[in-house]
């Protein structure tokens, strides 16, 4: 194992993807089971996502799911990747994380994103508009103020006030500057657009202002990592999500995951085929040796202190096996 990999934390983000033939309840239970396995393997943290009205994603209430995961585990850090702050009142978000931190002290992370609902219908249902994301920096400052007890309203967030729940900013580009100016850790992806990723990280580090939440820049690089016995098997792990992305791009809705062999039998339009092939390219995948080599390059190029794996696939057992392979690559210490 290289020194770069050995000095890097490894974590998992699970989106509670629904699979064809099963529904949302099974997807959520699979996420909890994955968290238990991640803890056993020695991963640093597991995060869950927020999506609304998406046929292929069950994770619509990340703080609720985080509570279930924290209750089913003992040591792994648990958080959100993320709570989409423009969808919520900052006071309510502070209260939710205050409850989580009170119940599971020292284990909770507050990952925050700036996205709003994926479709106009979802945004209307949430009472939000696309423009609400433009004030993410202000919403972020308001949220942190509830923990610090500095709200000008005279209201106090209970039980959040006075607690220290580590905040993280999720970004693909612009959010990197917001994270830097707020003095917060940055979670950024994806690993395929390396040049764009490196520029955003450089911008973040250059503009970082130390804060009461973080004295130095902290970078979590997020992306798909698939490990299997052969490169072909690793690539098959990528197929269900690649097809879902192609389908969403052409039909406007993100579907449940289909088995790889079924996807390969489907007839695709030229546009779908192009999108599908594009979605398969550039991910870190292969045997343990191949993935180790690729990860070493990524870590050295980005200087990231942490890698967060965002892989989704139809075969849950193959996904868990992939995480086990990565744990071996990283030399993670088992909690058993």
């Amino acid at each position: 194992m290289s020194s770069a990999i050995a000095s890097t934390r490894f974590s998992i983000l699970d989106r509670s993807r629904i699979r064809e033939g099963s529904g949302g309840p099974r997807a959520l239970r699979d996420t909890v089971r994955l968290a238990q396995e991640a803890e056993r393997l020695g991963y640093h943290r597991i995060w869950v996502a927020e999506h609304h009205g998406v046929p292929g994603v069950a994770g619509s209430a990340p703080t609720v799911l985080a509570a279930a995961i924290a209750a089913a585990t003992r040591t792994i850090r648990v958080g959100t990747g993320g709570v989409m702050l423009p969808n919520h009142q900052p006071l309510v978000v502070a209260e939710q994380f205050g409850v989580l931190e009170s119940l599971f002290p020292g284990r909770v992370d507050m990952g925050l994103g700036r996205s709003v609902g994926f479709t106009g219908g979802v945004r209307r249902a949430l009472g939000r508009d696309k423009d609400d994301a433009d004030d993410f920096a202000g919403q972020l400052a308001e949220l942190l103020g509830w923990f610090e007890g500095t709200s000008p309203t005279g209201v106090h967030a209970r039980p959040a006030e006075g607690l220290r729940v580590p905040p993280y900013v999720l970004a693909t580009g612009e959010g990197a500057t917001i994270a830097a100016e707020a003095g917060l850790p940055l979670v950024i992806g994806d690993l395929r657009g390396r040049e764009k990723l490196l520029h955003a990280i450089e911008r973040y580090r250059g503009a970082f202002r130390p804060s009461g939440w973080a004295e130095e820049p902290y970078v979590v690089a997020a992306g798909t990592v698939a490990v299997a016995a052969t490169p072909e098997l690793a690539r098959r792990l990528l197929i269900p999500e690649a097809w879902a992305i192609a389908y969403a791009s052409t039909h406007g809705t993100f579907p449940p995951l289909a088995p790889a062999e079924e996807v390969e039998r489907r007839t695709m339009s030229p546009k779908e085929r192009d999108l599908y092939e594009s979605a398969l390219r550039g991910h870190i995948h292969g045997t343990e040796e191949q993935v180790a080599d690729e990860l070493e390059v990524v870590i050295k190029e980005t200087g990231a202190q942490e890698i967060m794996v965002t892989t989704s696939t139809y075969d849950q057992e193959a996904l868990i096996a992939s995480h086990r392979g990565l744990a071996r690559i990283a030399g993670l210490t088992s909690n058993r």
Side-chain angles (χ1 to χ4, degrees):
M1 183 188 359
S2 74
S3 59
I5 291 177
S7 61
T8 303
R9 290 170 167 168
F10 285 83
S11 300
I12 296 171
L13 166 65
D14 191 69
R15 295 187 177 90
S16 301
R17 293 288 275 111
I18 296 172
R19 296 163 175 86
E20 287 188 0
S22 63
R26 171 66 183 271
L28 295 170
R29 289 193 293 269
D30 282 346
T31 293
V32 175
R33 185 165 71 95
L34 176 61
Q36 292 171 323
E37 181 67 12
E39 178 176 78
R40 190 187 72 79
L41 292 169
Y43 280 89
H44 182 60
R45 63 179 110 240
I46 183 161
W47 282 6
V48 293
E50 175 184 339
H51 296 276
H52 299 283
V54 180
V57 182
S60 57
T63 54
V64 176
L65 184 53
I69 290 172
T73 54
R74 295 182 300 106
T75 57
I76 193 169
R77 296 196 65 86
V78 180
T80 56
V83 165
M84 296 301 144
L85 198 49
N87 290 338
H88 309 280
Q89 290 295 333
L91 169 61
V92 176
V93 175
E95 290 171 336
Q96 291 174 346
F97 279 99
V99 170
L100 283 171
E101 177 63 20
S102 298
L103 292 172
F104 308 103
R107 291 179 57 201
V108 177
D109 298 323
M110 186 167 57
L112 306 162
R114 65 189 294 268
S115 296
V116 290
F118 181 66
T119 66
V122 169
R123 290 190 292 272
R124 286 191 297 273
L126 291 169
R128 295 295 185 268
D129 188 81
K130 277 186 177 181
D131 294 340
D132 288 323
D134 295 341
D135 190 34
F136 178 64
Q139 296 158 353
L140 183 61
E142 181 182 345
L143 172 61
L144 299 182
W146 289 115
F147 288 93
E148 295 163 339
T150 57
S151 171
T153 64
V155 176
H156 297 274
R158 308 294 188 198
E161 188 173 310
L163 297 180
R164 303 295 288 180
V165 183
Y168 295 76
V169 173
L170 280 65
T172 55
E174 181 181 344
T177 300
I178 295 173
E181 292 176 349
L184 300 179
L186 174 70
V187 183
I188 188 163
D190 68 42
L191 296 176
R192 295 189 300 166
R194 199 66 55 81
E195 185 175 347
K196 180 181 177 182
L197 178 73
L198 294 176
H199 286 159
I201 291 174
E202 182 180 5
R203 188 165 65 250
Y204 165 72
R205 290 198 174 107
F208 186 86
R209 301 174 183 172
S211 71
W213 298 95
E215 294 182 358
E216 298 177 345
Y218 187 89
V219 174
V220 183
T224 295
V225 179
V227 184
T230 67
E232 294 75 23
L233 288 173
R235 184 182 183 276
R236 288 184 69 77
L237 289 175
L238 307 176
I239 287 174
E241 185 79 357
W243 165 246
I245 291 170
Y247 185 92
S249 299
T250 52
H251 293 77
T253 184
F254 211 75
L257 295 173
E261 57 272 18
E262 181 179 323
V263 171
E264 290 177 320
R265 290 194 298 266
R266 290 180 176 173
T267 301
M268 303 183 196
S269 69
K271 182 176 181 181
E272 286 174 334
R273 175 64 63 180
D274 286 345
L275 290 166
Y276 169 70
E277 295 292 345
S278 176
L280 282 172
R281 287 194 292 268
H283 299 294
I284 296 177
H285 72 286
T287 64
E288 290 184 23
E289 183 178 357
Q290 290 170 325
V291 169
D293 290 342
E294 289 191 61
L295 281 174
E296 184 171 8
V297 171
V298 168
I299 292 167
K300 288 181 177 178
E301 285 184 350
T302 63
Q305 289 98 327
E306 186 171 339
I307 298 293
M308 181 167 282
V309 180
T310 62
T311 313
S312 296
T313 194
Y314 176 85
D315 188 336
Q316 180 76 356
E317 295 307 320
L319 177 62
I320 289 176
S322 176
H323 289 315
R324 287 176 183 149
L326 179 58
R328 287 192 290 270
I329 292 169
L332 304 182
T333 303
S334 173
N335 287 315
R336 278 185 172 178

